[in-house]
Amino acid sequence: MDISDAGRRGVRQLVGELEEAVDVDELRSRAVSGLARLIPADGAQWYHFGAHDGSVRALALPAESFHSDPAVIYDHPVDHPLTGAMLVSGTGGAWRVSDAAADRDWRRTHCYNLDFRPFGMHRHLVASDRDEAGVTGYALLRGGSDFTEEQRDLLGYAQPHLAAAERLLAERQRMYALLAAALASAGQPGRGVAAVAVDGVVRALDAVAAELLPRLDGDPRIGLGAPPGAGRAFRAHDIDVRAVECAVPDVPRLLLLRDVAPGRAAARALGLTEREHRTLEHIDAGRTPVEAARAMGISLTTVRGYVASLHRKLNAGHTAALLRAGRDAGLLGE
């Protein structure tokens, strides 16, 4: 790629600005306007073709620089030269429409809907990338002179960096949503949330977690050095521990903690085994016997035996009565 140092710095600066976006929509809007500044253009657009449903979505700035219906722009005939360049090859670089169309009279097709006569915009620079979700990219357009080779290379260089910034922000949003849900659940009796920092230190985020963590002290599964096959959930010292992973740097892994000691004490008093008690909890969570067997790593036949034993020991004739009896006996949480 023939890119100047100033061009690379411009891309890095733009990506740095995008880190301040509060959501993906704002990031795309900033990216579109930033690209138009970085590579002088009269209009810029983010676009996406859905791989499964053929949907077309786009965000253009200024809004009138592209057609109001993105499908008019991008839903072009199969035999048009842009089809191969954009949808088939899924190039990770950038290309000029003038290059892809060669000597074809591409300006007369509806592909780029050149009813932009008030703007005189007929020069297009496009970057696209393809994955399982479809084809996503950015397009720049302007009137007058065509885009240069260096500008084409610069857009091709910027595209994967912008895509990475969007994935990072989306992951952060997902993690913050999980954190909010986890902290909300911590308000229930016997439930808490802790965070595992990048250095492996576990810190309680609420009073319940502060009370439960000492009982897990020294268990290697709660830190970063969990042994292979330990899984993302386990039970130790009458505490259910579920790990919520995050691939985003500097965002800690969460541990959702649930104190099952009161329920276990009630189970022992009623003569229930730990496996029978856990089977009852799976039923209470709405899981089928097959799902419960998979979660506990045992056979379906064994789970059915536990269910039959639960009905007998709790004197319950059907599932609703079984769950009611379990809750009345303190075997299940509120």
Side-chain angles (χ1 to χ4, degrees):
M1 285 187 176
D2 183 17
I3 305 172
S4 67
D5 290 340
R8 293 177 188 273
R9 285 196 301 272
V11 171
R12 289 196 295 269
Q13 181 178 347
L14 175 58
V15 171
E17 294 172 358
L18 298 181
E19 293 177 354
E20 302 174 2
V22 297
D23 55 36
V24 172
D25 288 338
E26 181 185 336
L27 181 145
R28 290 169 181 165
S29 178
R30 287 191 178 196
V32 166
S33 59
L35 281 176
R37 293 194 307 268
L38 189 63
I39 303 173
D42 298 309
Q45 186 184 63
W46 167 89
Y47 61 85
H48 174 77
F49 301 90
H52 305 295
D53 58 6
S55 61
V56 183
R57 291 183 291 126
L59 168 67
L61 294 176
E64 66 272 14
S65 59
F66 283 80
H67 196 282
S68 58
D69 180 2
V72 172
I73 303 172
Y74 294 108
D75 187 12
H76 45 271
V78 175
D79 62 348
H80 192 275
L82 292 179
T83 303
M86 184 177 288
L87 299 179
V88 178
S89 63
T91 173
W95 41 273
R96 298 179 302 189
V97 170
S98 53
D99 293 340
D103 59 351
R104 294 282 294 274
D105 192 6
W106 55 274
R107 272 176 273 186
R108 303 178 89 179
T109 73
H110 71 285
C111 169
Y112 273 93
N113 186 29
L114 291 175
D115 286 333
F116 305 128
R117 296 187 184 96
F119 308 97
M121 297 175 181
H122 59 273
R123 304 294 184 179
H124 293 75
L125 185 63
V126 180
S128 62
D129 200 2
R130 189 178 185 183
D131 57 25
E132 293 181 359
V135 178
T136 302
Y138 291 88
L140 301 175
L141 54 79
R142 69 186 181 196
S145 60
D146 204 349
F147 294 92
T148 66
E149 293 291 319
E150 181 178 354
Q151 289 170 336
R152 184 184 69 179
D153 289 345
L154 184 57
L155 183 59
Y157 174 76
Q159 161 71 14
H161 289 80
L162 297 176
E166 182 171 326
R167 288 193 300 270
L168 184 66
L169 179 59
E171 181 65 18
R172 282 189 187 277
Q173 287 183 291
R174 187 188 73 83
M175 192 61 193
Y176 291 148
L178 284 172
L179 177 60
L183 291 175
S185 72
Q188 301 179 32
R191 295 175 185 265
V193 182
V196 182
V198 292
D199 57 3
V201 176
V202 182
R203 296 179 176 85
L205 299 183
D206 52 61
V208 175
E211 180 182 340
L212 296 180
L213 282 175
R215 288 157 57 183
L216 294 170
D217 187 40
D219 194 314
R221 291 173 292 185
I222 69 170
L224 297 181
R232 305 178 104 191
F234 63 94
R235 177 173 290 185
H237 305 293
D238 290 333
I239 301 173
D240 270 340
V241 183
R242 184 162 64 90
V244 180
E245 304 288 349
C246 182
V248 178
D250 302 324
V251 176
R253 178 161 60 107
L254 297 180
L255 296 178
L256 309 186
L257 310 173
R258 184 168 68 99
D259 188 2
V260 297
R264 285 293 303 125
R268 284 191 289 267
L270 292 170
L272 270 63
T273 68
E274 181 174 352
R275 286 283 182 87
E276 288 172 342
H277 184 214
R278 295 189 70 177
T279 298
L280 181 63
E281 291 177 319
H282 284 302
I283 296 173
D284 184 48
R287 298 185 181 92
T288 66
V290 173
E291 292 169 335
R294 187 180 302 117
M296 293 190 291
I298 57 181
S299 71
L300 177 59
T301 301
T302 302
V303 168
R304 285 173 173 163
Y306 291 154
V307 172
S309 179
L310 286 167
H311 280 282
R312 185 176 65 256
K313 291 181 179 180
L314 296 180
N315 193 26
H318 50 78
T319 302
L322 180 66
L323 295 177
R324 185 167 55 250
R327 196 158 280 108
D328 292 342
L331 297 169
L332 302 171
E334 295 298 326

